[in-house]
Amino acid sequence: MKISEILNNKNVTVSFEVFPPKEWVKIADTKKVISEMVKDKPSFMSVTYGASGTTSGYTTEIANAIHEGGVTPLSHLTCLTSTKEKINSVLDELEENGVENILALRGDIPKDFVMSEAQYYHHAYELVNEIKARNHFCIGGACYPEVHPESANRVEDIAHLKEKVDCGIDFLTTQMFFDNEKFYNFREMCAIKEINVPIIAGIMPITNAKQIKRSVELSNCSLPKKFERIMERFVENPDAMKQAGIIYATEQIIDLMANGVNNIHIYTMNKPDVAHQIMEGLSAIINE
Ligand code: FAD
């Protein structure tokens, strides 16, 4: 099923993100994670794509496992370091495997990579154009409530986002954020700029203090004082930190829903127990 239909037909959606293994030998472990997660009946599940594309086959394999588990898959696809031929062969493979949804991404710029005119793709909108021409896929895109780290400012970032959406994006998924006010401000800016596609709020349950440090550095997202205090208090107690992280993410989602945000995406970090506890904490709320 196309995600645009799911977003249209359901009052509330909660979806999960998983990542494929780095090595083929671990594919069975990831499939086990999927088989656990589908029990919570997420509205759809997305599977990330290795930036260089070398593990693209793993993404398709995991998308198939999600589909077999009775859940609609969303395949991520990055383009920056790929040729047009490579992208088209991945699109052929996804189409042949019945995948109907793609999150079209540029990908992060690898260390020591030099952007050049000779490259085929420079930005995600070029990939969106390519996918759109096939007239087969529902297309998602990434967006950044706290501004993409490469953008000079919010105005420039939103202008580029508008251009990307107008190329044929059906929905957006946000970078993780921990302060809902950032999301509400971003939603308002999108409305002003007439970015009218559904914006799915990306929530990352932080279950260990080391993980948060790395995630925050990579993503440019800020930590509210409330969350910093939780980390300081429980940094030496992994079980307490995990419990607090799950509760914080659950409360964030409840506040989003109370403010009319009906589409939530959980960055599960391949932890079925974490995803399950959040779903349990929301059971009456998401089935309202
Ligand atoms: P773009 O939309 O191309 O934007 C990148 C930068 O270029 C922004 O600063 C934008 O403002 C600017 N820009 C856009 N258009 C123009 C233009 N015409 N002229 C000048 N500047 C422009 N990475 C992975 O490797 N694999 C994944 O599976 C993956 N999944 C992700 C899922 C989500 C929900 C998110 C939010 C990110 C994900 N990423 C993933 C990370 C993503 O690849 C990086 O954030 C990357 O740096 C930007 O990708 P983009 O698609 O947003 O790029």
Side-chain angles (χ1 to χ4, degrees):
M1 188 186 265
K2 296 215 158 130
I3 286 170
S4 48
E5 285 173 58
I6 297 175
L7 296 172
N8 253 331
N9 296 342
K10 288 185 119 183
N11 198 16
V12 169
T13 66
V14 181
S15 49
F16 296 167
E17 179 186 282
V18 292
F19 50 81
K22 288 200 173 71
E23 299 153 18
W24 185 254
V25 287
K26 303 256 173 71
I27 201 95
D29 296 345
T30 312
K31 285 188 179 176
K32 194 157 181 295
V33 164
I34 309 289
S35 67
E36 282 302 308
M37 283 191 184
V38 295
K39 291 181 193 161
D40 276 307
K41 300 194 180 345
S43 309
F44 64 87
M45 281 176 77
S46 74
V47 50
T48 63
Y49 189 84
S52 60
T54 47
T55 57
S56 60
Y58 303 7
T59 297
T60 313
E61 184 77 11
I62 297 302
N64 281 339
I66 293 169
H67 191 62
E68 280 160 19
V71 174
T72 297
L74 163 65
S75 281
H76 294 201
L77 177 60
T78 68
C79 61
L80 182 68
T81 56
S82 288
T83 60
K84 188 177 161 120
E85 289 68 33
K86 168 71 184 174
I87 290 295
N88 274 290
S89 83
V90 176
L91 290 172
D92 287 344
E93 188 180 303
L94 291 170
E95 216 172 313
E96 279 157 22
N97 280 277
V99 174
E100 293 181 279
N101 305 289
I102 296 184
L103 193 74
L105 299 148
R106 186 199 66 182
D108 280 323
I109 303 174
K111 206 168 161 262
D112 301 328
F113 182 81
V114 182
M115 286 277 243
S116 75
E117 280 304 310
Q119 273 168 253
Y120 194 79
Y121 304 99
H122 299 86
H123 295 290
Y125 79 88
E126 294 155 312
L127 178 61
V128 175
N129 283 332
E130 188 99 21
I131 302 172
K132 189 77 187 166
R134 291 186 168 232
N135 209 13
H136 172 80
F137 295 103
C138 168
I139 309 172
C143 63
Y144 304 85
E146 297 184 66
V147 181
H148 187 271
E150 288 163 39
S151 288
N153 53 57
R154 151 85 67 222
V155 173
E156 186 188 294
D157 204 42
I158 292 271
H160 289 139
L161 182 62
K162 170 73 176 155
E163 283 163 18
K164 178 164 78 174
V165 169
D166 287 350
C167 289
I169 294 261
D170 297 297
F171 65 93
L172 292 167
T173 305
T174 73
Q175 177 64 280
M176 68 176 121
F177 58 90
F178 300 98
D179 178 352
N180 287 356
E181 289 306 319
K182 307 279 182 200
F183 179 87
Y184 301 138
N185 291 339
F186 172 71
R187 179 174 64 168
E188 210 167 290
M189 283 287 282
C190 287
I192 292 167
K193 291 291 170 196
E194 296 185 355
I195 295 172
N196 294 323
V197 295
I199 304 174
I200 304 175
I203 298 298
M204 165 87 89
I206 296 296
T207 55
N208 85 49
K210 277 191 199 130
Q211 171 202 345
I212 177 79
K213 202 168 168 285
R214 201 161 165 269
S215 304
V216 168
E217 274 165 16
L218 289 175
S219 64
N220 204 32
C221 59
S222 55
L223 279 184
K225 276 271 167 292
K226 177 180 168 184
F227 196 81
E228 277 180 1
R229 282 193 205 105
I230 291 172
M231 276 180 30
E232 279 163 25
R233 175 74 176 80
F234 302 119
V235 67
E236 301 300 341
N237 183 342
D239 287 344
M241 185 63 231
K242 182 172 173 183
Q243 194 169 41
I246 290 169
I247 291 172
Y248 189 93
T250 308
E251 284 181 352
Q252 234 192 311
I253 296 171
I254 293 169
D255 178 73
L256 286 164
M257 290 198 173
N259 283 281
V261 182
N262 291 330
N263 306 120
I264 307 290
H265 193 57
I266 302 175
Y267 294 109
T268 69
M269 301 301 286
N270 287 17
K271 291 179 182 154
D273 59 325
V274 172
H276 177 69
Q277 285 181 55
I278 294 176
M279 293 300 261
E280 227 173 28
L282 296 170
S283 57
I285 292 162
I286 54 183
N287 292 313
E288 202 193 13

